[in-house]
Amino acid sequence: MSNALFDYEWQFLIQLISRVTYCSSYNETCETLLQQLKTLIPFNTAVVFRTGRENGQAVIGNPISYDVDNKSADHSRFINGDYPRWSEFIMASYSMVFRQSDLIAPAKWDRTRVYRDIWLPQNIYWGLFASIVAKDTPMVIIGLFRDKKDEDFSARDIYLLNTLKDPLERKFYTMLEGKAAAGAGVSFNKIGKAAAKYGLTKRETEIVTLVCASKSGEEICGQLFITPATLSKHLSNIYAKTSVRNRTQLFALFNEG
């Protein structure tokens, strides 16, 4: 089947990108994207996971799902337990689109523990994914799923998702990485200069920026996609480097001058 798109499909793609661009929140962006994709790429259920790297490992979380039959999907099965999580794509320095059937042949897929324990209980068999990575930073992984009785996703479906990679990189990077600077009480440039003076890492600088934006620990963890334990470790390092004892003193230090 040819990958060529009809004029009306190109028009819909442009409208989809426009709708996603004007979304104001992460949840709205994910929900709008999945709802609009359904018109171009038929699926039974879909999910967007926030992706990240922690202690040298790929991690996923914060699932936003869309089910055609409005059933309650439990995507915690993808997150919990010791299962493969598409690490090679999340850890890559660029975005990629791939099918589950490209990773393992269907004849072998049926016999895997991952299929039996995660996919089968949710009545899904075929999967098409887009791992969105911007500026070497994992953003999200988008998963579209079909039942076993349906056909696998086609080369044309892959082409459609590939077409969306660039605008999705820009949207998610601006939303997830740029939000810290946008809400800060101190200018991002000023924080960056001060952070360099104290030898703070990129992640530590992001945390300081969010502290200066009066974000709670829960909000910081959700925005940077890290655990409370990891945040605590980063804050301890920041306190040691800046010679402060708490967030109040840290806020005051970066608001000086």
Short mmCIF file of all heavy atoms in Angstrom, two decimals, residues 42-109:
data_model
loop_
_atom_site.label_atom_id
_atom_site.label_comp_id
_atom_site.label_asym_id
_atom_site.label_seq_id
_atom_site.Cartn_x
_atom_site.Cartn_y
_atom_site.Cartn_z
N PRO A 42 -6.91 4.18 12.62
CA PRO A 42 -7.87 3.47 13.47
C PRO A 42 -7.18 2.65 14.55
O PRO A 42 -6.17 1.98 14.30
CB PRO A 42 -8.60 2.56 12.47
CG PRO A 42 -8.42 3.23 11.15
CD PRO A 42 -7.06 3.84 11.19
N PHE A 43 -7.71 2.72 15.77
CA PHE A 43 -7.20 1.90 16.88
C PHE A 43 -8.33 1.66 17.86
O PHE A 43 -9.38 2.31 17.79
CB PHE A 43 -6.00 2.59 17.57
CG PHE A 43 -6.30 3.97 18.12
CD1 PHE A 43 -7.01 4.14 19.30
CD2 PHE A 43 -5.88 5.11 17.44
CE1 PHE A 43 -7.28 5.41 19.81
CE2 PHE A 43 -6.14 6.37 17.93
CZ PHE A 43 -6.84 6.53 19.11
N ASN A 44 -8.12 0.73 18.77
CA ASN A 44 -9.13 0.41 19.78
C ASN A 44 -8.90 1.16 21.09
O ASN A 44 -9.84 1.56 21.77
CB ASN A 44 -9.16 -1.09 20.05
CG ASN A 44 -9.49 -1.88 18.80
OD1 ASN A 44 -8.61 -2.49 18.19
ND2 ASN A 44 -10.75 -1.85 18.39
N THR A 45 -7.64 1.30 21.44
CA THR A 45 -7.29 2.05 22.64
C THR A 45 -5.91 2.66 22.43
O THR A 45 -5.13 2.19 21.59
CB THR A 45 -7.28 1.13 23.90
OG1 THR A 45 -7.06 1.92 25.07
CG2 THR A 45 -6.22 0.06 23.80
N ALA A 46 -5.64 3.72 23.16
CA ALA A 46 -4.36 4.41 23.00
C ALA A 46 -3.96 5.04 24.33
O ALA A 46 -4.81 5.28 25.20
CB ALA A 46 -4.45 5.47 21.90
N VAL A 47 -2.67 5.34 24.46
CA VAL A 47 -2.19 5.93 25.70
C VAL A 47 -0.94 6.75 25.41
O VAL A 47 -0.18 6.44 24.48
CB VAL A 47 -1.87 4.83 26.75
CG1 VAL A 47 -0.77 3.90 26.26
CG2 VAL A 47 -1.49 5.44 28.10
N VAL A 48 -0.77 7.82 26.17
CA VAL A 48 0.47 8.60 26.14
C VAL A 48 1.11 8.48 27.52
O VAL A 48 0.47 8.78 28.53
CB VAL A 48 0.22 10.09 25.81
CG1 VAL A 48 1.55 10.86 25.83
CG2 VAL A 48 -0.46 10.25 24.47
N PHE A 49 2.36 8.02 27.57
CA PHE A 49 3.12 7.94 28.82
C PHE A 49 4.16 9.05 28.83
O PHE A 49 4.80 9.32 27.83
CB PHE A 49 3.86 6.61 28.94
CG PHE A 49 2.99 5.41 29.15
CD1 PHE A 49 2.75 4.54 28.10
CD2 PHE A 49 2.43 5.13 30.38
CE1 PHE A 49 1.96 3.41 28.27
CE2 PHE A 49 1.64 4.01 30.57
CZ PHE A 49 1.40 3.15 29.51
N ARG A 50 4.32 9.68 29.97
CA ARG A 50 5.45 10.59 30.17
C ARG A 50 6.69 9.72 30.31
O ARG A 50 6.66 8.70 30.99
CB ARG A 50 5.21 11.42 31.43
CG ARG A 50 6.31 12.42 31.73
CD ARG A 50 6.18 13.65 30.85
NE ARG A 50 7.06 14.70 31.35
CZ ARG A 50 8.32 14.87 30.97
NH1 ARG A 50 8.87 14.07 30.09
NH2 ARG A 50 9.05 15.85 31.47
N THR A 51 7.78 10.10 29.65
CA THR A 51 8.99 9.30 29.71
C THR A 51 10.13 10.09 30.33
O THR A 51 10.12 11.32 30.34
CB THR A 51 9.41 8.82 28.31
OG1 THR A 51 9.54 9.96 27.44
CG2 THR A 51 8.38 7.88 27.72
N GLY A 52 11.10 9.37 30.85
CA GLY A 52 12.25 10.03 31.45
C GLY A 52 13.39 9.06 31.66
O GLY A 52 13.29 7.87 31.34
N ARG A 53 14.47 9.57 32.18
CA ARG A 53 15.64 8.76 32.53
C ARG A 53 15.95 9.01 33.99
O ARG A 53 16.03 10.15 34.43
CB ARG A 53 16.85 9.13 31.67
CG ARG A 53 16.62 8.94 30.18
CD ARG A 53 17.76 9.53 29.37
NE ARG A 53 17.46 9.48 27.93
CZ ARG A 53 17.93 10.36 27.06
NH1 ARG A 53 18.70 11.35 27.48
NH2 ARG A 53 17.63 10.25 25.78
N GLU A 54 16.13 7.93 34.72
CA GLU A 54 16.44 8.05 36.14
C GLU A 54 17.48 7.01 36.51
O GLU A 54 17.29 5.82 36.29
CB GLU A 54 15.16 7.85 36.97
CG GLU A 54 15.36 8.11 38.45
CD GLU A 54 14.04 8.08 39.22
OE1 GLU A 54 13.02 8.52 38.68
OE2 GLU A 54 14.07 7.59 40.37
N ASN A 55 18.59 7.49 37.05
CA ASN A 55 19.70 6.61 37.43
C ASN A 55 20.15 5.73 36.26
O ASN A 55 20.43 4.53 36.43
CB ASN A 55 19.29 5.73 38.62
CG ASN A 55 18.92 6.54 39.85
OD1 ASN A 55 19.55 7.56 40.13
ND2 ASN A 55 17.90 6.11 40.58
N GLY A 56 20.18 6.33 35.08
CA GLY A 56 20.65 5.60 33.90
C GLY A 56 19.65 4.63 33.31
O GLY A 56 20.00 3.86 32.41
N GLN A 57 18.42 4.67 33.79
CA GLN A 57 17.39 3.75 33.30
C GLN A 57 16.22 4.53 32.70
O GLN A 57 15.93 5.65 33.13
CB GLN A 57 16.86 2.87 34.45
CG GLN A 57 17.93 2.01 35.11
CD GLN A 57 18.47 0.94 34.20
OE1 GLN A 57 17.72 0.33 33.42
NE2 GLN A 57 19.77 0.69 34.27
N ALA A 58 15.56 3.92 31.72
CA ALA A 58 14.36 4.54 31.14
C ALA A 58 13.16 4.25 32.04
O ALA A 58 13.00 3.14 32.54
CB ALA A 58 14.11 3.98 29.75
N VAL A 59 12.33 5.26 32.27
CA VAL A 59 11.14 5.10 33.09
C VAL A 59 9.95 5.72 32.39
O VAL A 59 10.09 6.64 31.57
CB VAL A 59 11.31 5.76 34.48
CG1 VAL A 59 12.31 4.99 35.33
CG2 VAL A 59 11.74 7.22 34.36
N ILE A 60 8.76 5.19 32.67
CA ILE A 60 7.53 5.74 32.12
C ILE A 60 6.51 5.93 33.24
O ILE A 60 6.60 5.29 34.28
CB ILE A 60 6.91 4.83 31.02
CG1 ILE A 60 6.51 3.47 31.62
CG2 ILE A 60 7.88 4.64 29.87
CD1 ILE A 60 5.76 2.57 30.62
N GLY A 61 5.56 6.83 33.01
CA GLY A 61 4.53 7.06 34.02
C GLY A 61 3.48 8.04 33.51
O GLY A 61 3.47 8.40 32.35
N ASN A 62 2.59 8.45 34.42
CA ASN A 62 1.56 9.44 34.12
C ASN A 62 0.79 9.12 32.84
O ASN A 62 0.78 9.91 31.89
CB ASN A 62 2.17 10.84 34.02
CG ASN A 62 1.12 11.93 33.97
OD1 ASN A 62 0.00 11.74 34.43
ND2 ASN A 62 1.45 13.07 33.39
N PRO A 63 0.13 7.95 32.76
CA PRO A 63 -0.58 7.59 31.53
C PRO A 63 -1.85 8.41 31.30
O PRO A 63 -2.64 8.61 32.21
CB PRO A 63 -0.93 6.11 31.75
CG PRO A 63 -1.01 5.96 33.24
CD PRO A 63 0.02 6.91 33.80
N ILE A 64 -2.00 8.90 30.08
CA ILE A 64 -3.23 9.56 29.64
C ILE A 64 -3.79 8.70 28.52
O ILE A 64 -3.16 8.54 27.47
CB ILE A 64 -2.96 10.98 29.10
CG1 ILE A 64 -2.19 11.81 30.13
CG2 ILE A 64 -4.27 11.65 28.70
CD1 ILE A 64 -2.94 12.08 31.40
N SER A 65 -4.96 8.11 28.73
CA SER A 65 -5.46 7.11 27.78
C SER A 65 -6.74 7.55 27.09
O SER A 65 -7.44 8.46 27.54
CB SER A 65 -5.70 5.77 28.49
OG SER A 65 -6.66 5.90 29.51
N TYR A 66 -7.00 6.88 25.97
CA TYR A 66 -8.22 7.11 25.20
C TYR A 66 -8.70 5.77 24.69
O TYR A 66 -7.95 5.05 24.03
CB TYR A 66 -7.95 8.05 24.03
CG TYR A 66 -9.14 8.26 23.12
CD1 TYR A 66 -10.16 9.13 23.48
CD2 TYR A 66 -9.25 7.59 21.91
CE1 TYR A 66 -11.26 9.33 22.67
CE2 TYR A 66 -10.34 7.79 21.08
CZ TYR A 66 -11.35 8.65 21.46
OH TYR A 66 -12.43 8.84 20.64
N ASP A 67 -9.93 5.40 25.04
CA ASP A 67 -10.48 4.12 24.62
C ASP A 67 -11.71 4.36 23.76
O ASP A 67 -12.61 5.11 24.14
CB ASP A 67 -10.86 3.27 25.85
CG ASP A 67 -11.13 1.83 25.48
OD1 ASP A 67 -12.21 1.55 24.91
OD2 ASP A 67 -10.27 0.97 25.75
N VAL A 68 -11.73 3.72 22.61
CA VAL A 68 -12.83 3.91 21.66
C VAL A 68 -14.17 3.51 22.27
O VAL A 68 -15.19 4.16 22.05
CB VAL A 68 -12.58 3.09 20.37
CG1 VAL A 68 -13.77 3.19 19.44
CG2 VAL A 68 -11.32 3.58 19.68
N ASP A 69 -14.18 2.44 23.06
CA ASP A 69 -15.42 1.95 23.67
C ASP A 69 -15.68 2.55 25.04
O ASP A 69 -16.58 2.10 25.75
CB ASP A 69 -15.38 0.42 23.77
CG ASP A 69 -15.28 -0.24 22.41
OD1 ASP A 69 -15.91 0.27 21.47
OD2 ASP A 69 -14.57 -1.26 22.29
N ASN A 70 -14.88 3.55 25.41
CA ASN A 70 -15.05 4.22 26.70
C ASN A 70 -14.96 3.28 27.89
O ASN A 70 -15.57 3.49 28.92
CB ASN A 70 -16.40 4.98 26.76
CG ASN A 70 -16.45 6.11 25.77
OD1 ASN A 70 -15.48 6.85 25.61
ND2 ASN A 70 -17.56 6.25 25.08
N LYS A 71 -14.16 2.23 27.72
CA LYS A 71 -13.91 1.33 28.84
C LYS A 71 -12.79 1.92 29.69
O LYS A 71 -11.98 2.68 29.25
CB LYS A 71 -13.50 -0.06 28.33
CG LYS A 71 -14.58 -0.78 27.53
CD LYS A 71 -14.12 -2.12 27.05
CE LYS A 71 -13.00 -1.99 26.05
NZ LYS A 71 -12.61 -3.27 25.43
N SER A 72 -12.78 1.51 30.97
CA SER A 72 -11.73 2.01 31.85
C SER A 72 -10.47 1.17 31.66
O SER A 72 -10.45 0.02 31.99
CB SER A 72 -12.24 2.01 33.26
OG SER A 72 -11.72 1.13 34.03
N ALA A 73 -9.46 1.79 31.04
CA ALA A 73 -8.21 1.08 30.75
C ALA A 73 -7.26 1.22 31.93
O ALA A 73 -7.13 2.28 32.51
CB ALA A 73 -7.58 1.64 29.50
N ASP A 74 -6.64 0.11 32.29
CA ASP A 74 -5.67 0.11 33.39
C ASP A 74 -4.27 -0.05 32.81
O ASP A 74 -3.80 -1.17 32.60
CB ASP A 74 -5.99 -1.01 34.38
CG ASP A 74 -4.98 -1.05 35.51
OD1 ASP A 74 -4.26 -0.06 35.69
OD2 ASP A 74 -4.92 -2.07 36.22
N HIS A 75 -3.63 1.08 32.54
CA HIS A 75 -2.30 1.02 31.93
C HIS A 75 -1.20 0.94 32.98
O HIS A 75 -0.02 1.03 32.64
CB HIS A 75 -2.09 2.24 31.03
CG HIS A 75 -3.00 2.23 29.83
ND1 HIS A 75 -2.92 1.27 28.85
CD2 HIS A 75 -4.01 3.05 29.47
CE1 HIS A 75 -3.83 1.51 27.92
NE2 HIS A 75 -4.50 2.57 28.28
N SER A 76 -1.59 0.76 34.25
CA SER A 76 -0.58 0.58 35.29
C SER A 76 0.21 -0.70 35.06
O SER A 76 1.34 -0.83 35.52
CB SER A 76 -1.24 0.53 36.67
OG SER A 76 -2.11 -0.59 36.76
N ARG A 77 -0.37 -1.63 34.31
CA ARG A 77 0.33 -2.88 34.01
C ARG A 77 1.60 -2.61 33.21
O ARG A 77 2.57 -3.37 33.28
CB ARG A 77 -0.58 -3.83 33.22
CG ARG A 77 -1.74 -4.40 34.01
CD ARG A 77 -2.61 -5.28 33.12
NE ARG A 77 -3.74 -5.85 33.86
CZ ARG A 77 -3.70 -7.00 34.51
NH1 ARG A 77 -2.59 -7.70 34.50
NH2 ARG A 77 -4.75 -7.46 35.15
N PHE A 78 1.60 -1.57 32.42
CA PHE A 78 2.80 -1.22 31.66
C PHE A 78 3.89 -0.65 32.57
O PHE A 78 5.07 -0.75 32.28
CB PHE A 78 2.47 -0.17 30.59
CG PHE A 78 1.82 -0.74 29.36
CD1 PHE A 78 0.46 -0.61 29.16
CD2 PHE A 78 2.57 -1.41 28.41
CE1 PHE A 78 -0.15 -1.12 28.02
CE2 PHE A 78 1.97 -1.93 27.27
CZ PHE A 78 0.61 -1.79 27.08
N ILE A 79 3.46 -0.02 33.65
CA ILE A 79 4.40 0.69 34.52
C ILE A 79 4.93 -0.20 35.63
O ILE A 79 6.12 -0.18 35.96
CB ILE A 79 3.73 1.94 35.14
CG1 ILE A 79 3.22 2.85 34.02
CG2 ILE A 79 4.68 2.68 36.05
CD1 ILE A 79 2.36 3.99 34.52
N ASN A 80 4.05 -1.00 36.24
CA ASN A 80 4.43 -1.82 37.38
C ASN A 80 5.04 -3.15 36.93
O ASN A 80 4.64 -3.73 35.94
CB ASN A 80 3.19 -2.10 38.24
CG ASN A 80 2.56 -0.83 38.77
OD1 ASN A 80 3.26 0.14 39.05
ND2 ASN A 80 1.25 -0.82 38.89
N GLY A 81 5.97 -3.63 37.70
CA GLY A 81 6.57 -4.92 37.40
C GLY A 81 7.81 -4.80 36.53
O GLY A 81 8.11 -3.75 35.97
N ASP A 82 8.53 -5.90 36.46
CA ASP A 82 9.80 -5.93 35.73
C ASP A 82 9.56 -6.35 34.29
O ASP A 82 9.75 -7.51 33.91
CB ASP A 82 10.76 -6.91 36.42
CG ASP A 82 12.11 -6.94 35.75
OD1 ASP A 82 12.44 -5.97 35.06
OD2 ASP A 82 12.84 -7.93 35.94
N TYR A 83 9.10 -5.41 33.48
CA TYR A 83 8.80 -5.69 32.08
C TYR A 83 9.60 -4.78 31.16
O TYR A 83 9.93 -3.66 31.54
CB TYR A 83 7.30 -5.48 31.81
CG TYR A 83 6.40 -6.33 32.66
CD1 TYR A 83 5.60 -5.76 33.64
CD2 TYR A 83 6.34 -7.70 32.47
CE1 TYR A 83 4.77 -6.54 34.42
CE2 TYR A 83 5.50 -8.49 33.25
CZ TYR A 83 4.72 -7.90 34.22
OH TYR A 83 3.90 -8.67 34.99
N PRO A 84 9.88 -5.24 29.95
CA PRO A 84 10.56 -4.35 29.00
C PRO A 84 9.72 -3.10 28.75
O PRO A 84 8.52 -3.18 28.60
CB PRO A 84 10.64 -5.21 27.73
CG PRO A 84 10.56 -6.62 28.22
CD PRO A 84 9.65 -6.58 29.41
N ARG A 85 10.36 -1.95 28.70
CA ARG A 85 9.62 -0.69 28.56
C ARG A 85 10.18 0.14 27.40
O ARG A 85 10.34 1.35 27.53
CB ARG A 85 9.67 0.10 29.87
CG ARG A 85 9.11 -0.70 31.03
CD ARG A 85 9.25 0.04 32.34
NE ARG A 85 8.81 -0.78 33.45
CZ ARG A 85 8.80 -0.39 34.72
NH1 ARG A 85 9.19 0.81 35.03
NH2 ARG A 85 8.39 -1.19 35.67
N TRP A 86 10.50 -0.51 26.33
CA TRP A 86 10.97 0.20 25.15
C TRP A 86 12.17 1.10 25.48
O TRP A 86 12.33 2.19 24.95
CB TRP A 86 9.84 1.03 24.55
CG TRP A 86 8.53 0.31 24.52
CD1 TRP A 86 8.21 -0.79 23.77
CD2 TRP A 86 7.35 0.60 25.27
NE1 TRP A 86 6.93 -1.19 24.01
CE2 TRP A 86 6.37 -0.36 24.93
CE3 TRP A 86 7.03 1.58 26.21
CZ2 TRP A 86 5.09 -0.36 25.48
CZ3 TRP A 86 5.77 1.57 26.77
CH2 TRP A 86 4.81 0.62 26.40
N SER A 87 13.05 0.60 26.36
CA SER A 87 14.16 1.42 26.86
C SER A 87 15.05 1.96 25.76
O SER A 87 15.50 3.11 25.82
CB SER A 87 15.03 0.60 27.84
OG SER A 87 14.29 0.26 28.97
N GLU A 88 15.35 1.15 24.74
CA GLU A 88 16.28 1.60 23.71
C GLU A 88 15.75 2.82 22.97
O GLU A 88 16.53 3.65 22.50
CB GLU A 88 16.56 0.47 22.71
CG GLU A 88 15.33 -0.02 21.96
CD GLU A 88 15.65 -1.20 21.06
OE1 GLU A 88 16.20 -0.98 19.97
OE2 GLU A 88 15.35 -2.34 21.46
N PHE A 89 14.43 2.97 22.89
CA PHE A 89 13.85 4.12 22.20
C PHE A 89 13.81 5.34 23.11
O PHE A 89 14.07 6.46 22.67
CB PHE A 89 12.45 3.78 21.70
CG PHE A 89 12.43 2.60 20.76
CD1 PHE A 89 12.08 1.34 21.20
CD2 PHE A 89 12.80 2.76 19.43
CE1 PHE A 89 12.07 0.25 20.34
CE2 PHE A 89 12.80 1.68 18.56
CZ PHE A 89 12.44 0.42 19.02
N ILE A 90 13.49 5.12 24.39
CA ILE A 90 13.44 6.24 25.34
C ILE A 90 14.84 6.79 25.60
O ILE A 90 15.04 7.99 25.75
CB ILE A 90 12.78 5.79 26.66
CG1 ILE A 90 11.32 5.39 26.41
CG2 ILE A 90 12.85 6.90 27.71
CD1 ILE A 90 10.64 4.76 27.61
N MET A 91 15.84 5.90 25.63
CA MET A 91 17.20 6.31 25.91
C MET A 91 17.91 6.88 24.68
O MET A 91 19.01 7.42 24.79
CB MET A 91 18.01 5.13 26.46
CG MET A 91 17.48 4.55 27.77
SD MET A 91 17.50 5.74 29.14
CE MET A 91 19.26 5.75 29.53
N ALA A 92 17.29 6.76 23.52
CA ALA A 92 17.90 7.29 22.29
C ALA A 92 17.92 8.81 22.31
O ALA A 92 17.20 9.45 23.09
CB ALA A 92 17.13 6.80 21.06
N SER A 93 18.74 9.39 21.46
CA SER A 93 18.87 10.85 21.43
C SER A 93 17.94 11.51 20.42
O SER A 93 18.00 12.71 20.21
CB SER A 93 20.32 11.24 21.10
OG SER A 93 20.71 10.68 19.85
N TYR A 94 17.08 10.73 19.79
CA TYR A 94 16.16 11.27 18.79
C TYR A 94 14.86 10.48 18.82
O TYR A 94 14.79 9.37 19.37
CB TYR A 94 16.78 11.21 17.39
CG TYR A 94 17.33 9.85 17.02
CD1 TYR A 94 16.53 8.88 16.42
CD2 TYR A 94 18.65 9.53 17.29
CE1 TYR A 94 17.03 7.63 16.09
CE2 TYR A 94 19.17 8.28 16.98
CZ TYR A 94 18.36 7.34 16.37
OH TYR A 94 18.86 6.11 16.08
N SER A 95 13.81 11.04 18.23
CA SER A 95 12.49 10.41 18.21
C SER A 95 12.45 9.25 17.22
O SER A 95 13.14 9.28 16.20
CB SER A 95 11.41 11.43 17.84
OG SER A 95 11.39 12.50 18.76
N MET A 96 11.63 8.24 17.53
CA MET A 96 11.49 7.09 16.65
C MET A 96 10.06 6.57 16.68
O MET A 96 9.37 6.67 17.69
CB MET A 96 12.45 5.98 17.06
CG MET A 96 13.89 6.24 16.71
SD MET A 96 14.95 4.81 17.06
CE MET A 96 15.24 5.05 18.82
N VAL A 97 9.65 6.00 15.55
CA VAL A 97 8.34 5.35 15.43
C VAL A 97 8.59 3.87 15.14
O VAL A 97 9.45 3.53 14.33
CB VAL A 97 7.51 5.98 14.30
CG1 VAL A 97 6.21 5.21 14.09
CG2 VAL A 97 7.21 7.45 14.61
N PHE A 98 7.84 3.00 15.82
CA PHE A 98 8.06 1.57 15.64
C PHE A 98 6.79 0.78 15.96
O PHE A 98 5.92 1.26 16.69
CB PHE A 98 9.21 1.07 16.52
CG PHE A 98 8.99 1.28 18.01
CD1 PHE A 98 8.52 0.27 18.82
CD2 PHE A 98 9.25 2.53 18.59
CE1 PHE A 98 8.32 0.47 20.18
CE2 PHE A 98 9.05 2.74 19.95
CZ PHE A 98 8.58 1.70 20.75
N ARG A 99 6.70 -0.42 15.41
CA ARG A 99 5.60 -1.34 15.71
C ARG A 99 6.09 -2.44 16.65
O ARG A 99 7.26 -2.82 16.62
CB ARG A 99 5.08 -1.99 14.42
CG ARG A 99 4.36 -1.06 13.48
CD ARG A 99 3.91 -1.77 12.22
NE ARG A 99 5.04 -2.31 11.45
CZ ARG A 99 4.94 -2.75 10.21
NH1 ARG A 99 3.77 -2.75 9.60
NH2 ARG A 99 6.01 -3.21 9.58
N GLN A 100 5.18 -2.95 17.45
CA GLN A 100 5.52 -4.08 18.31
C GLN A 100 5.96 -5.28 17.48
O GLN A 100 6.89 -6.00 17.84
CB GLN A 100 4.33 -4.45 19.20
CG GLN A 100 4.60 -5.59 20.17
CD GLN A 100 5.69 -5.24 21.18
OE1 GLN A 100 5.80 -4.08 21.59
NE2 GLN A 100 6.48 -6.22 21.58
N SER A 101 5.31 -5.47 16.34
CA SER A 101 5.63 -6.62 15.48
C SER A 101 6.99 -6.49 14.82
O SER A 101 7.53 -7.47 14.30
CB SER A 101 4.55 -6.80 14.41
OG SER A 101 4.41 -5.62 13.63
N ASP A 102 7.58 -5.27 14.82
CA ASP A 102 8.93 -5.10 14.32
C ASP A 102 9.97 -5.51 15.36
O ASP A 102 11.12 -5.80 15.02
CB ASP A 102 9.18 -3.64 13.92
CG ASP A 102 8.34 -3.22 12.73
OD1 ASP A 102 8.06 -4.07 11.86
OD2 ASP A 102 7.94 -2.04 12.66
N LEU A 103 9.55 -5.53 16.62
CA LEU A 103 10.46 -5.90 17.71
C LEU A 103 10.50 -7.40 17.93
O LEU A 103 11.54 -7.95 18.30
CB LEU A 103 10.05 -5.20 19.01
CG LEU A 103 9.92 -3.67 18.96
CD1 LEU A 103 9.57 -3.14 20.34
CD2 LEU A 103 11.21 -3.04 18.46
N ILE A 104 9.35 -8.05 17.73
CA ILE A 104 9.27 -9.49 17.93
C ILE A 104 8.19 -10.05 17.01
O ILE A 104 7.11 -9.47 16.88
CB ILE A 104 8.97 -9.85 19.41
CG1 ILE A 104 8.93 -11.36 19.60
CG2 ILE A 104 7.69 -9.21 19.89
CD1 ILE A 104 8.89 -11.77 21.06
N ALA A 105 8.49 -11.14 16.34
CA ALA A 105 7.55 -11.75 15.39
C ALA A 105 6.29 -12.20 16.11
O ALA A 105 6.35 -12.71 17.23
CB ALA A 105 8.20 -12.93 14.69
N PRO A 106 5.10 -12.01 15.47
CA PRO A 106 3.84 -12.41 16.10
C PRO A 106 3.84 -13.86 16.59
O PRO A 106 3.25 -14.17 17.64
CB PRO A 106 2.81 -12.20 14.99
CG PRO A 106 3.39 -11.09 14.17
CD PRO A 106 4.88 -11.31 14.20
N ALA A 107 4.49 -14.77 15.87
CA ALA A 107 4.51 -16.18 16.27
C ALA A 107 5.19 -16.35 17.64
O ALA A 107 4.82 -17.24 18.42
CB ALA A 107 5.23 -17.01 15.22
N LYS A 108 6.17 -15.50 17.93
CA LYS A 108 6.86 -15.56 19.23
C LYS A 108 6.17 -14.68 20.27
O LYS A 108 6.22 -14.96 21.46
CB LYS A 108 8.31 -15.12 19.06
CG LYS A 108 9.15 -16.04 18.18
CD LYS A 108 10.58 -15.54 18.10
CE LYS A 108 11.44 -16.47 17.24
NZ LYS A 108 12.85 -15.98 17.14
N TRP A 109 5.55 -13.61 19.80
CA TRP A 109 4.91 -12.64 20.68
C TRP A 109 3.84 -13.29 21.55
O TRP A 109 3.74 -13.02 22.74
CB TRP A 109 4.33 -11.52 19.83
CG TRP A 109 3.54 -10.45 20.53
CD1 TRP A 109 2.28 -10.02 20.20
CD2 TRP A 109 3.94 -9.63 21.64
NE1 TRP A 109 1.89 -9.01 21.03
CE2 TRP A 109 2.89 -8.75 21.93
CE3 TRP A 109 5.10 -9.58 22.40
CZ2 TRP A 109 2.96 -7.82 22.95
CZ3 TRP A 109 5.17 -8.65 23.44
CH2 TRP A 109 4.10 -7.78 23.71
#
